[in-house]
Every structure is written in structure tokens, then in C-alpha cells.
Amino acid sequence: MFTCNVNGSVCVLLVVMGPDVEKLEQSEDFRSQPSLFSSAGSSRCDPQNQAGVKTLVAVTEEVEEFPRVLHLQERYPDLVAPCLGLHPLQAAGGQHSVRPQDLEEALPLFYSHRERLVAIGEIGLDFTPWCAPTQQDRDDQMKVFIGQLDIAMEMDLPVNVHSRSAAKVTIDTMRRRGISRALLHNFSGKPAAALEAVEAGFFFSFPPAVCRNQQRDRLIQRIPLDHICLETDSPALGLHKNERNEPANIALSCSYIAKVKGQTPETVRDVTTQNAYRLFSRASR
């Protein structure tokens, strides 16, 4: 997530969202391009590496993904920084809103692996009408969201948050629960809501999909750079809608945000890197 390969510099911190975790070890990056990851965990960035990755913050969406992320962290301890969380939309048995019983099933795993986690995520709310058509759907999502916010507070961890069609209520809920460290990923809410989140100390991240059009330019302009991170959201939200997104595409997010904010890519890279390590303070440098 968070920075990119610019003019030969390769201090890269990436995020792979839940759908990509299962495929990560099978990817071309791992099998045929070891140099992409070979400098991960080293004390320096290799200027010869074309797409070096230093830390990969991997989040989950469903409880079935928890073991996969933990396995990746065991296999690549200097690269993968694991997060556990339940997304507001669950895919098992057909897409539906997350339910309180899903959190009950996951609770023991949060606590048994708490020392290994860098954040709780991906959690949040998705009130898109066709995704959460009933009040019961929205109530269930809220109960699970609050439950996971409370876990994050208890464990002193930041949260990685989904907020589609629910930006203001998501931000208000986090503030009421005392959350001070949060990343609102792929944020698409109104600038006024974003500025409230900035006031609360929250961060925002944007994937390569923002390059497709200018819809979020005003939002990116209004959010201070020291509250912005980069992300890929692989395999979704790439530059082209029907093409698989890849971690290396984080450079696109970096360059686009630099253009919108009138900064150099190097400045965006450096500031977002600092932001990322400030937020995910348990991630290895």
C-alpha cells in the first residue's frame, strides 16, 4: 500500500486486500520475479530493483481467510504484516451483510493471534442499497463494526476501514468509539466528511482506479498530503476496469496524486511512506 517505485527508488509498502491473499503465493511475482520481494526486510532499498517491496500489509474479509494471511506471514515474516477483520459484505453462500454470529466465530482468532497483528481490517460499513437493502442488514453491519472497533481499542491497533455509501456514519461511529488511528481505504465520501476525519487524525488511501477519471480530484486536493496513503486493492480497482490489478500498479496512484496535488512523485512517495509507518507502527521497516 503506500509508496512506490519512483525514479529508481524502491521503498514500497503495499496492501493486498482479502480477495488477493489466496492468490499471492501463486502469482508471477512470487514464482518468477523473486527480485520483486528479495529486498523485503533488508535495512536498505535496492536501487536496482524495479518494483521492490519492503512491507506488505495483508488484510482479510472473511474468517476463512484468517489462516491464509497468517500462513503468508509465517512463510515471509520480513515481508507480510497481517491484519484480521470481517468485511461488511460476506461472500460465503451468496453475498450478504456480515452477521453478529460471524464475529462470534472469529473472536477466538483475534485474541489468539493478537501479538502478530498490525491492524484490524478490513472492517466497516457498506450501505449501498443493493448490498444492504434492509434495516436489519445495516444494523448487523453496525454491530459487527462496533465489535471490531472495540477489539482494536482493546489491542491498541489501528483499523483499515471500508465505508462505501456510509462515509459520514462510519467516521462518526469511529469517533464515538474513541478510535484515533484509522485508514479509510478507497474513500469516496464527500470532502466535508473527509475533513471531519482529518480532524480526528484519520488517514485516506486511493487505488489506481482514481486515474480513470477526475471524480475524486477535488477530494484528493482537499485532504492534506500528511493524511494520505496509497493502495492497490489488488486484484480490483486497477487502472482498467476489467483487468486484474497488481501490487506494482501502486506507482500509478502515486503519480496521479502527485499530479492532482501539484507535488513531485518523490514527495508523495516519501510522505505517504512516513504516513504508513506512523499508522501501522507495528509493521517492520
Side-chain angles (χ1 to χ4, degrees):
M1 189 170 201
F2 308 119
T3 150
C4 59
N5 174 7
V6 180
N7 290 347
S9 182
V10 286
C11 291
V12 183
L13 184 61
L14 300 175
V15 164
V16 173
M17 297 300 174
D20 221 26
V21 169
E22 184 178 16
K23 302 168 186 174
L24 182 60
E25 290 184 279
Q26 303 169 2
S27 70
E28 287 298 316
D29 293 337
F30 272 84
R31 289 188 285 111
S32 63
Q33 299 181 39
S35 64
L36 182 65
F37 297 95
S38 61
S39 66
S42 70
S43 60
R44 63 185 180 87
C45 294
D46 178 2
Q48 304 305 314
N49 195 344
Q50 293 302 302
V53 175
K54 189 171 183 182
T55 304
L56 192 152
V57 180
V59 307
T60 64
E61 296 184 338
E62 303 186 6
V63 69
E64 290 80 9
E65 294 170 347
F66 286 18
R68 301 174 195 159
V69 167
L70 295 170
H71 169 70
L72 285 174
Q73 193 264 342
E74 290 169 359
R75 185 168 179 182
Y76 306 99
D78 295 326
L79 171 65
V80 175
C83 310
L84 299 183
L86 297 178
H87 192 278
L89 300 178
Q90 300 288 290
Q95 183 173 280
H96 61 275
S97 288
V98 67
R99 301 175 183 128
Q101 53 265 40
D102 297 321
L103 181 56
E104 291 175 11
E105 179 185 354
L107 275 177
L109 294 173
F110 283 109
Y111 287 98
S112 62
H113 299 290
R114 62 188 298 171
E115 298 303 322
R116 298 170 60 181
L117 304 181
V118 301
I120 301 298
E122 181 177 344
I123 67 176
L125 302 172
D126 191 322
F127 289 172
T128 309
W130 54 88
C131 295
T134 70
Q135 187 61 47
Q136 185 64 55
D137 289 323
R138 296 186 285 275
D139 290 346
D140 284 347
Q141 286 189 24
M142 181 63 78
K143 288 177 183 176
V144 175
F145 183 40
I146 288 174
Q148 293 183 102
L149 293 177
D150 291 347
I151 291 170
M153 288 289 292
E154 180 183 348
M155 296 183 181
D156 191 25
L157 290 171
V159 290
N160 181 59
V161 178
H162 176 101
S163 58
R164 187 171 62 169
S165 300
K168 183 168 176 45
V169 66
T170 300
I171 293 165
D172 289 346
T173 301
M174 289 195 291
R175 298 185 75 171
R176 286 198 304 270
R177 304 306 292 190
I179 296 295
S180 60
R181 292 179 295 157
L183 178 75
L184 289 144
H185 104 92
N186 189 33
F187 188 78
S188 58
K190 295 180 179 179
L195 293 179
E196 290 182 13
V198 167
E199 183 180 336
F202 301 160
F203 293 84
F204 302 81
S205 61
F206 300 96
V210 297
C211 305
R212 296 177 193 166
N213 53 57
Q214 299 178 332
Q215 289 181 354
R216 278 188 269 185
D217 285 11
R218 182 166 173 264
L219 177 65
I220 293 170
Q221 289 168 350
R222 296 287 299 276
I223 298 173
L225 185 57
D226 61 2
H227 285 266
I228 290 179
C229 295
L230 309 179
E231 68 167 302
T232 57
D233 206 27
S234 306
L237 299 182
L239 179 61
H240 303 291
K241 190 171 185 179
N242 296 319
E243 292 183 6
R244 175 184 169 87
N245 193 12
E246 297 290 346
N249 288 338
I250 199 163
L252 300 174
S253 298
C254 181
S255 296
Y256 189 80
I257 289 172
K259 177 182 175 182
V260 171
K261 297 190 78 66
Q263 301 282 349
T264 66
E266 291 83 0
T267 296
V268 172
R269 177 201 65 205
D270 293 345
V271 174
T272 56
T273 298
Q274 294 169 10
N275 295 344
Y277 281 125
R278 192 151 45 101
L279 177 61
F280 297 108
S281 57
R282 286 194 185 182
S284 298
R285 286 180 180 264

